[in-house]
Amino acid sequence: MAVTIRDVAALAGVSPSTVSRTCKDHSSISRETKEKVRFAMAQLGYEPNIQTSSQTIPSPQIISIILPPSSREVYENAFYLEAIRGISQFCNGREYISTVVTGQDDEEILRAIQTLGKEERMGGYIVLYSKQEDAIIDYLYNEGLLYVLIGKAKQFVNQTIYIDNDNLLAGKEATEYLYSLGHRQIAYVGSECTMLFSAERKSGYQLALAEHNLPFHPNYCIEVNQFSLDNQLFYKLLQQENRPTAVVASDDILAVALEQICTQCGLSVPKDLSIVSFNNSLFARITSPQLTSIDINSHQLGIEAASQLINHIENPNLLATKIIVPHSLIIRGSCQQI
């Protein structure tokens, strides 16, 4: 019985469409996966259809931008909007088309990715978030599809192209700034630690406390879903008998919510509570007082992600690269000396 493309796919551990694209030397398939598929073809003695493999494949023109699963709220986060602006700007300059994929859950996103995967002009994917045990990353990697991650890679680290900030250093610097103003009771409010950026910023916060011989109080550290905030956690933090005098918030959205709770508790920012946040978004500039915030250069993260993806599309033999985009502390009125 003749060897089929499905036999090759089963031996290589990929889908038949990945084998087909490897036969066409399509740029959306990673170098490692092409080698694995070609090895399986050699083992089985599979000969691709000469007519199919000699067809001219259109130059890849589509970059798919993958947002985290969310019903609505993710579209309100300025980080994603700025990153998409950077990606689109770079793609436009290189005559690539960018498109956005999202859904209410991983299953909906995966269905959209699988539909896009049938498009011959599909060049690669940019994943705008990084979390632990991500089914989307598992699929992209196992299918041998070319992708770039914005955030620190947790899965397939050596084979992943990723663009990130030094979030541990940024969390440490935010905490040390508050320490330099005389604060010793410093709290941390972050997104859930399944989101790696927040986990890293929390680690930086803890490192700064340790270096200044400040105790870590578990009741000073809360983690929330920024898309469905539990205000009771903020009340509990601020109504402690020995409440914090300063807070590092992992996102401007969390900091704005915290400012509102302060008002409801009769506390004043920065007189009663100093706040340093992250992203330096519009939210940081329209509050009163305006937020001291760490600018992570979201727009530049998007530009670098698009640049790296297109470089790897056009030069398939490049090794996976890791790029760190610098951050900066923007000082405004939400902090004061004590």
Side-chain angles (χ1 to χ4, degrees):
M1 184 179 293
V3 177
T4 69
I5 197 169
R6 293 188 178 278
D7 297 324
V8 176
L11 181 59
V14 299
S15 68
S17 64
T18 297
V19 176
S20 176
R21 288 190 171 204
T22 297
C23 293
K24 300 171 185 177
D25 199 29
H26 199 282
S27 59
S28 69
I29 307 301
S30 68
R31 176 170 54 88
E32 292 84 358
T33 298
K34 286 179 181 176
E35 291 174 355
K36 183 169 62 174
V37 170
R38 287 165 181 161
F39 183 70
M41 290 167 62
Q43 281 185 297
L44 295 174
Y46 176 75
E47 292 291 338
N49 185 291
I50 300 300
Q51 181 179 359
T52 299
S53 63
S54 62
Q55 292 174 351
T56 301
I57 305 301
S59 298
Q61 292 181 308
I62 299 176
I63 302 296
S64 180
I65 305 165
I66 303 176
L67 288 165
S70 173
S71 58
R72 178 181 61 87
E73 295 85 352
V74 70
Y75 302 106
E76 299 171 357
N77 190 311
F79 165 77
Y80 299 116
L81 296 176
E82 277 296 292
I84 290 171
R85 186 170 72 89
I87 293 167
S88 298
Q89 178 181 322
F90 193 88
C91 287
N92 292 342
R94 296 288 287 269
E95 298 184 350
Y96 279 72
I97 299 169
S98 59
T99 184
V100 174
V101 173
T102 190
Q104 296 193 48
D105 50 36
D106 287 343
E107 289 73 22
E108 187 176 343
I109 293 174
L110 283 171
R111 287 196 299 271
I113 293 171
Q114 289 162 358
T115 299
L116 280 170
K118 299 173 185 176
E119 168 62 60
E120 286 292 341
R121 294 185 303 149
M122 189 66 233
Y125 303 82
I126 297 175
V127 183
L128 287 191
Y129 64 96
S130 176
K131 66 178 182 178
Q132 300 190 43
E133 300 177 3
D134 187 2
I136 306 301
I137 295 297
D138 282 339
Y139 178 82
L140 294 174
Y141 180 83
N142 290 328
E143 286 297 305
L145 300 173
L146 184 61
Y147 69 93
V148 170
L149 183 67
I150 292 186
K152 188 175 183 179
K154 189 69 174 180
Q155 302 152 271
F156 321 113
V157 177
N158 291 334
Q159 293 80 37
T160 299
I161 310 160
Y162 69 83
I163 317 296
D164 198 12
N165 306 108
D166 189 337
N167 283 299
L168 187 145
L169 178 61
K172 182 173 180 287
E173 288 180 355
T175 309
E176 288 182 336
Y177 174 68
L178 292 169
Y179 182 89
S180 73
L181 296 177
H183 295 280
R184 299 297 181 263
Q185 295 164 229
I186 305 171
Y188 177 83
V189 174
S191 303
E192 298 161 317
C193 276
T194 54
M195 303 301 285
L196 295 183
F197 74 89
S198 187
E200 291 280 300
R201 291 169 190 173
K202 178 183 174 183
S203 294
Y205 156 79
Q206 292 175 302
L207 180 60
L209 295 183
E211 288 190 358
H212 292 290
N213 296 314
L214 297 178
F216 172 72
H217 299 294
N219 57 327
Y220 274 15
C221 190
I222 62 175
E223 295 167 11
V224 298
N225 183 334
Q226 71 180 49
F227 300 131
S228 56
L229 294 176
D230 181 358
N231 289 341
Q232 292 304 314
L233 293 173
F234 291 142
Y235 284 120
K236 186 175 179 180
L237 176 68
L238 297 177
Q239 291 176 343
Q240 298 177 48
E241 183 178 348
N242 192 30
R243 64 170 180 78
T245 64
V247 172
V248 174
S250 72
D251 188 280
D252 290 336
I253 294 175
L254 297 180
V256 170
L258 188 61
E259 279 192 334
Q260 293 174 342
I261 301 301
C262 281
T263 300
Q264 294 172 23
C265 291
L267 300 175
S268 172
V269 176
K271 180 181 177 182
D272 299 308
L273 187 76
S274 290
I275 302 175
V276 176
S277 64
F278 278 79
N279 290 352
N280 191 36
S281 66
L282 176 64
F283 293 108
R285 302 190 295 276
I286 64 174
T287 57
S288 180
Q290 293 184 330
L291 289 168
T292 293
S293 186
I294 289 186
D295 191 336
I296 60 171
N297 292 305
S298 308
H299 180 251
Q300 190 64 32
L301 286 167
I303 289 174
E304 294 292 346
S307 172
Q308 286 302 313
L309 183 57
I310 290 173
N311 283 345
H312 281 76
I313 289 171
E314 297 178 354
N315 303 280
N317 293 322
L318 291 177
L319 296 176
T321 50
K322 291 71 166 100
I323 293 178
I324 300 297
V325 172
H327 60 268
S328 57
L329 177 66
I330 309 299
I331 297 173
R332 297 194 180 94
S334 64
C335 299
Q336 78 172 26
Q337 189 98 26
I338 63 169

